[in-house]
Amino acid sequence: MVTSTLFALAETKHTEPLNQSAGILDFSWLIALIPIVSFFVIVFFGRRLRNKGAEIGIAAVLLSLLLSIPVFFKTISNINADSHYAGFERSLRWMNFGDGKSLELGVKVDGLTAVMLLVVCFVSLMVHIYSTAYMKGEVRFTFFYAALSLFTGSMLNLVLANNLLQMLVGWEGVGVCSYFLIGHYWEDRENSNAAIKAFLTTRIGDVGFMFGIFVLYFAAGSFNIGVISEAVEAGAISKGILTAGAVLLFCGAIGKSAQVPLHVWLPDAMAGPTPVSALIHAATMVVAGVYLVARMYAVFHSSIAALNEVAIIGAITMLIAALLALVQDDIKRVLAYSTISQLAYMIAALGVGGYTAGVFHIWTHAWFKALLFLGAGSIIHAVHSNNMSDMGGLKEKMPITYRTYLIGCIALAGFFPLAGFWSKDEILVAAYSAGRDGNSVAMFVFVTAMVTAFLTACYVARMLALTFFGPPKYDINKVHPHESPPAMTVPLILLAILAIAGGWVGLPGELNLFGRWVHFGDAHEAFSWGLAIASTLVAGAGFATGWMIFRHGKTRVDLAGGRFGYLYRLLQNKYYLDDIYMGGIVRPIRDQLSRFAYWTNQRIIDPIVNVAGASMVGLGNKTYRHVDQPVIDGFVNGAARFTGLIGATVKFWQTGNVQLYAGLLFAGIGLFVATFLFAR
Amino acid sequence: MPVQWLLLLSAFLFSVGIYGVLARRNAVIVLMSIEVMLNAVNLNLVAFNAMLKDAAVVGQIFALFVITIAAAELGVGLAIVILIYRNRTTVSIDEVSLMKW
């Protein structure tokens, strides 16, 4: 077997002996490799194929999905056999740098990874299929699919990585792909700006992430996640360093998962094609930050300060983003802010110790958010506008989209028994029980989460009302909305099923499978009827409020003039954060600082370089004329001429007359004999 | 017989050979002169062997080797001479001075 020979070179830690085959898990590295290979195949051969490369992308992701399903079940069975199963880990030595240290290239598959693999592969497959219809005839279709493949592959690499450095590779791969895809229609200046903004903003967080990796490396002596976690649990690293490492790592998560104050890139990322938004916001990219916190939870868990920071950032973000979602007109921006808000839910859950709850929310959120984005894409496809002020009354025109979208919306709002309910409830329980035990930060999280649940239901109701109900606001004569083709509706239906049933793996009590798959420390059960009812009531109230206000299709114009107009304008301008960033950071750097840098460059650095260059040229000329030509060339030429001269003289001795040679020979012998006889 | 006589004869033969090699133009004569010189050497070897009464007869054995090599050398030499004659219809040594600059 190829794999076993490949891994025969490998070294393992924490796992069973090498020669012992782990069945399908031995092939788990292929899951990430297939889409990456597919990227190259599509780039080089995609254009010549009949479907312009789409078939390769779909086949690759399908293969990855088909591989991750058995990997998932194998991992589950391992967990069922041993509830403290540390996960399957295999690695190759990638690079040695002496002193027993090396970089690894490896996979680590535990419950968390297995769950993420399923989410990423499935959502990516849905997006791939959906895009065949949505992107039909668009520019750079082939490259779009290539980038989707690389995106998926990078995310899978990030998920599978057994060490932080490899994770960083996937992390940056995801970043660069998001840049490609957000700026897919780069002919439009605004789109390419959005791509640059997304890339640079997340980059700011990445710097922190990188330094976090360095801190942990120097503290634990390894990039390996398992080794670091063990070192942390053994108490080998001091609290201060741990907190620093965790906070720095969390900077990366803030950037990638769009938490306050680096959330500004995500709404602008809506400039990309809608399927990309679905991929970025449901399964890849943004959940990478949450995944990072979950993956390095041992580090976070052992530092109260870091955990509290995580929880507070999460709490602030969920509220701020949910408020912003209330006032957007662009349907995709509503979903974007909703994503930020839901990510903050996950982050906050992790921050209050609700490890399972946070990861469970990744799982459920992936289904309904992918569904909502793809549904929004379907609507946009029909009315050719992103704005809800151009929609309305689509309920009859697009029955499948309407029904699936409705399911996604109530799952997002967290109504029983859809997916969002179960995970939201777990988060609330985690926050409440931690708060009741005296953790005031957790109590703060609990209160904000409740308010956010209200707001979520409210903006969901608004979105539904403005999109599907009321009178049509599009130009009836020009736009004729119709249901989308099957390539778009089938993914919607599949995702809708998961948005309903996806939460049922995390039912409370004995049926809480998810808690068994993914847990930190001992799995614990928690469910509270009181909280479940309370959160449902809150969500219901929110939904009713949103519905009452917006059911007649009121739009922003009515609200801006009202009593709370100033509040509305504050939200409309996104708390002026973008303006602060522009005026406070981007402009000073771009205008003043860059002008100063240009002046320095022209007046100081360039002259120095020019003088240095000119003097070097002069020196070179002098060297050529006075050293190279007369001395070195003279020496070489002289040697040749000298040899020629000797040859010209000596050649005459070679007469060709044998007898002359013989005579000289005898004369020589005579000379020797004479010397021998007389000279002693 | 005193060894000096034999050595004198040998020296005489060698001188004849040198003369032949250096002075004659005919290649065949030159080859013959070389043979004469080799035989002068052989005579020397045998004479010294007799004088020293060497039980191992090294001198005589060495003379036998010289004779063998002389035969081989003459064979090769005559073959060359024949070829030169075929190509240039002459065996005069000063007319075959090809190997010069």
Side-chain angles (χ1 to χ4, degrees):
Chain A
M1 268 197 323
V2 182
T3 45
S4 41
T5 42
L6 188 57
F7 282 111
L9 298 168
E11 59 162 352
T12 42
K13 299 165 189 143
H14 331 289
T15 40
E16 63 267 48
L18 246 189
N19 45 14
Q20 194 177 330
S21 163
I24 188 73
L25 293 179
D26 276 335
F27 296 92
S28 51
W29 54 281
L30 276 173
I31 296 174
L33 193 67
I34 292 169
I36 292 172
V37 170
S38 142
F39 164 73
F40 289 103
V41 176
I42 297 176
V43 163
F44 289 119
F45 307 109
R47 282 168 163 278
R48 287 179 228 154
L49 297 173
R50 207 152 58 88
N51 292 326
K52 305 277 175 219
E55 63 271 64
I56 296 178
I58 292 173
V61 177
L62 184 65
L63 257 175
S64 286
L65 178 65
L66 290 181
L67 256 171
S68 28
I69 290 171
V71 163
F72 175 77
F73 282 110
K74 176 81 181 165
T75 308
I76 298 302
S77 75
N78 284 348
I79 291 171
N80 284 340
D82 168 20
S83 74
H84 290 280
Y85 178 60
F88 164 84
E89 185 170 351
R90 284 284 155 88
S91 64
L92 289 171
R93 250 175 217 234
W94 180 12
M95 224 181 271
N96 282 326
F97 33 83
D99 207 16
K101 305 241 187 288
S102 64
L103 293 189
E104 293 172 290
L105 195 60
V107 296
K108 178 184 176 75
V109 184
D110 56 6
L112 175 62
T113 312
V115 165
M116 287 299 292
L117 286 178
L118 276 192
V119 169
V120 174
C121 289
F122 190 81
V123 172
S124 178
L125 181 64
M126 290 302 110
V127 169
H128 271 77
I129 294 172
Y130 181 92
S131 302
T132 54
Y134 189 87
M135 295 299 288
K136 195 169 199 146
E138 296 283 339
V139 283
R140 293 181 286 280
F141 181 85
T142 304
F143 183 73
F144 176 81
Y145 266 94
L148 276 191
S149 268
L150 188 62
F151 205 156
T152 312
S154 303
M155 186 65 194
L156 291 169
N157 176 30
L158 189 160
V159 168
L160 280 168
N162 76 331
N163 63 81
L164 283 171
L165 221 57
Q166 193 186 340
M167 205 167 166
L168 181 70
V169 173
W171 184 273
E172 297 298 348
V174 175
V176 77
C177 288
S178 73
Y179 170 77
F180 290 152
L181 290 169
I182 293 168
H184 187 72
Y185 301 118
W186 47 258
E187 287 86 350
D188 196 342
R189 185 82 198 166
E190 215 173 289
N191 294 343
S192 80
N193 279 348
I196 291 169
K197 186 176 178 184
F199 194 67
L200 290 183
T201 314
T202 51
R203 221 67 252 283
I204 295 170
D206 293 354
V207 174
F209 181 29
M210 222 142 75
F211 278 98
I213 293 177
F214 297 153
V215 166
L216 290 180
Y217 175 75
F218 286 115
S222 172
F223 290 117
N224 187 293
I225 293 166
V227 173
I228 293 175
S229 302
E230 271 171 22
V232 171
E233 273 155 19
I237 303 172
S238 79
K239 279 272 180 269
I241 291 175
L242 261 185
T243 306
V247 169
L248 284 168
L249 282 185
F250 189 57
C251 284
I254 289 177
K256 257 319 180 241
S257 290
Q259 300 297 296
V260 168
L262 296 182
H263 66 284
V264 291
W265 67 270
L266 197 136
D268 287 15
M270 293 301 123
T274 310
V276 173
S277 309
L279 192 56
I280 291 181
H281 297 97
T284 57
M285 184 93 178
V286 294
V287 295
V290 185
Y291 176 79
L292 172 69
V293 178
R295 180 43 95 210
M296 302 307 295
Y297 204 61
V299 176
F300 285 91
H301 193 68
S302 46
S303 164
I304 300 293
L307 267 191
N308 283 345
E309 188 219 355
V310 171
I312 289 171
I313 293 270
I316 294 173
T317 308
M318 68 170 85
L319 197 57
I320 280 184
L323 279 169
L324 285 172
L326 266 176
V327 300
Q328 300 302 317
D329 186 35
D330 184 333
I331 186 167
K332 281 173 74 182
R333 278 179 186 257
V334 177
L335 294 175
Y337 282 114
S338 156
T339 304
I340 297 176
S341 172
Q342 297 299 311
L343 287 167
Y345 251 94
M346 305 169 199
I347 295 271
L350 293 172
V352 298
Y355 181 80
T356 307
V359 179
F360 189 34
H361 203 55
I362 296 182
W363 163 268
T364 55
H365 175 256
W367 309 132
F368 60 70
K369 194 47 71 65
L371 168 62
L372 286 175
F373 267 110
L374 294 182
S378 175
I379 297 165
I380 292 166
H381 201 61
V383 301
H384 306 293
S385 167
N386 283 7
N387 295 332
M388 293 193 289
S389 49
D390 294 329
M391 297 170 185
L394 293 172
K395 185 179 154 198
E396 279 82 24
K397 297 273 190 342
M398 309 178 73
I400 301 176
T401 306
Y402 165 65
R403 285 192 195 120
T404 51
Y405 204 82
L406 183 66
I407 290 168
C409 278
I410 51 181
L412 168 59
F415 285 112
F416 180 85
L418 277 72
F421 171 76
W422 304 106
S423 54
K424 188 184 73 175
D425 191 62
E426 271 199 44
I427 291 171
L428 291 173
V429 167
Y432 182 73
S433 55
R436 203 185 38 201
D437 296 345
N439 183 343
S440 52
V441 173
M443 215 55 203
F444 173 60
V445 168
F446 174 71
V447 173
T448 20
M450 274 302 203
V451 175
T452 308
F454 176 83
L455 291 170
T456 307
C458 194
Y459 68 68
V460 156
R462 170 177 180 266
M463 184 163 59
L464 277 172
L466 293 182
T467 313
F468 290 105
F469 295 91
K473 282 165 284 184
Y474 47 86
D475 189 343
I476 311 174
N477 299 321
K478 282 191 194 149
V479 182
H480 305 286
H482 52 85
E483 188 55 88
S484 301
M488 286 163 76
T489 49
V490 169
L492 288 180
I493 294 167
L494 288 177
L495 285 168
I497 293 168
L498 279 166
I500 298 171
W504 296 348
V505 295
L507 297 180
E510 276 305 299
L511 291 169
N512 192 348
L513 297 171
F514 201 89
R516 228 179 299 152
W517 300 341
V518 182
H519 58 84
F520 184 77
D522 290 316
H524 46 236
E525 310 283 337
F527 183 73
S528 142
W529 279 104
L531 275 178
I533 292 166
S535 77
T536 310
L537 285 179
V538 164
F543 197 88
T545 314
W547 186 255
M548 295 312 268
I549 297 176
F550 293 103
R551 101 195 114 148
H552 299 303
K554 280 188 196 172
T555 51
R556 62 168 102 179
V557 189
D558 314 327
L559 286 168
R563 196 141 42 96
F564 297 106
Y566 61 95
L567 249 177
Y568 185 82
R569 277 191 298 281
L570 176 70
L571 292 180
Q572 197 64 51
N573 288 303
K574 302 170 251 175
Y575 310 106
Y576 301 99
L577 262 184
D578 271 346
D579 298 305
I580 292 170
Y581 289 160
M582 257 336 249
I585 300 171
V586 178
R587 278 220 193 86
I589 289 177
R590 195 182 60 195
D591 302 341
Q592 274 85 33
L593 195 64
S594 64
R595 205 172 299 140
F596 173 71
Y598 182 71
W599 183 88
T600 322
N601 189 30
Q602 289 298 308
R603 294 295 160 82
I604 298 172
I605 298 179
D606 269 20
I608 292 173
V609 172
N610 287 341
V611 167
S615 54
M616 279 301 142
V617 169
L619 189 64
N621 274 331
K622 287 221 160 48
T623 313
Y624 177 73
R625 215 170 299 131
H626 299 296
V627 180
D628 183 69
Q629 287 297 309
V631 179
I632 297 177
D633 273 23
F635 184 77
V636 174
N637 288 339
R641 219 172 286 136
F642 178 66
T643 314
L645 202 69
I646 292 175
T649 319
V650 174
K651 68 181 178 186
F652 295 106
W653 298 0
Q654 184 126 4
T655 59
N657 186 337
V658 185
Q659 284 171 324
L660 180 61
Y661 301 163
L664 288 172
L665 187 121
F666 287 120
I669 291 173
L671 202 65
F672 273 119
V673 171
T675 314
F676 199 62
L677 285 180
F678 299 114
R680 59 172 172 179
Chain B
M1 198 174 359
V3 76
Q4 285 90 338
W5 293 10
L6 291 171
L7 294 184
L8 276 175
L9 176 60
S10 164
F12 172 72
L13 280 174
F14 197 79
S15 304
V16 169
I18 285 180
Y19 169 76
V21 166
L22 294 186
R24 301 306 294 259
R25 296 289 176 260
N26 190 324
V28 179
I29 302 288
V30 170
L31 284 177
M32 285 167 64
S33 307
I34 291 173
E35 288 307 299
V36 172
M37 283 160 73
L38 286 170
N39 281 324
V41 172
N42 282 346
L43 186 58
N44 241 5
L45 288 169
V46 175
F48 277 117
N49 189 61
M51 183 190 91
L52 295 170
K53 296 189 173 57
D54 180 16
V57 289
V58 174
Q60 294 181 23
I61 291 168
F62 213 84
L64 278 172
F65 274 107
V66 172
I67 290 165
T68 317
I69 289 165
E73 179 245 305
L74 197 67
V76 174
L78 279 173
I80 293 171
V81 168
I82 289 167
L83 277 176
I84 288 172
Y85 182 75
R86 279 196 191 152
N87 280 323
R88 308 175 65 95
T89 63
T90 177
V91 289
S92 178
I93 283 188
D94 43 0
E95 284 176 42
V96 287
S97 58
L98 295 173
M99 305 280 278
K100 61 175 186 180
W101 63 275

